[in-house]
Amino acid sequence: TVEDAPAVMLTCPPDQTEVACQTQGEIDMQFNDWLADATFNGGCNPMITNSGGTAPDACGGSATVTWTVSSDCEADVTCTATFTVEDATPVMLTCPPDQMEMACQDQATIDQKFNDWVGDAMFSGGCNAMITNDAGSPPDACGGTTTVTFTVSSDCEADVTCTANFIVE
């Protein structure tokens, strides 16, 4: 008498969700650890494989993986789970509104108002986002215009820009 082989019991790891804005290396490591979390027992000469491929992009995406246990004594046993990286929050950039100042203020006052105005640009979102501007010098206290472009650079999208004017009559 030959005893029946024990049935293959395969357990996939649970679906996993990671936040965006981690490094790709961190996502790759977590994905590989997750792939290794599938467990099985039983079967005759069992072998486990998976369709893992590569981890999703650190800026967002998902990978659905199927694990398969092949055994000499029964049909392949499979299970499926999904590893997801949340989508990065898009950059939202708000330029300060154009500002008009009266002429004949002293230059120090115009300079201070200009610097305060430049500091009014705001942004949210993005991954490792940073804001810069090409402000240069404020306009002359006797009249002129300085156009400033504000730029937010983020790891997960193209630069986002807006432009505003500081005007002295």
Side-chain angles (χ1 to χ4, degrees):
T1 301
V2 176
E3 293 180 10
D4 290 339
V8 170
M9 302 297 291
L10 172 60
T11 304
C12 273
D15 291 345
Q16 184 165 326
T17 301
E18 295 291 330
V19 296
C21 301
Q22 299 178 63
T23 67
Q24 190 62 51
E26 290 169 327
I27 293 296
D28 292 347
M29 185 176 63
Q30 291 168 7
F31 179 74
N32 289 330
D33 290 347
W34 176 79
L35 283 176
D37 285 344
T39 60
F40 72 95
N41 58 42
C44 292
N45 301 313
M47 299 209 31
I48 189 168
T49 59
N50 68 63
S51 65
T54 59
D57 190 281
C59 294
S62 65
T64 299
V65 176
T66 299
W67 285 264
T68 303
V69 174
S70 300
S71 171
D72 292 346
C73 296
E74 67 182 283
D76 289 351
V77 176
T78 63
C79 64
T80 302
T82 302
F83 185 97
T84 302
V85 177
E86 295 173 340
D87 290 335
T89 305
V91 170
M92 302 298 287
L93 172 60
T94 305
C95 266
D98 289 349
Q99 184 161 328
M100 178 81 69
E101 292 291 332
M102 294 174 43
C104 299
Q105 299 178 63
D106 63 65
Q107 190 63 49
T109 300
I110 292 298
D111 292 354
Q112 184 60 50
K113 288 181 177 183
F114 177 78
N115 290 331
D116 291 346
W117 173 82
V118 167
D120 287 343
M122 297 184 305
F123 77 94
S124 63
C127 289
N128 302 310
M130 293 181 18
I131 189 168
T132 58
N133 65 66
D134 64 354
S137 301
D140 189 276
C142 295
T145 300
T146 298
T147 300
V148 178
T149 299
F150 299 88
T151 302
V152 175
S153 300
S154 170
D155 291 348
C156 290
E157 64 185 284
D159 288 354
V160 176
T161 62
C162 63
T163 303
N165 298 299
F166 188 92
I167 304 158
V168 176
E169 294 177 329

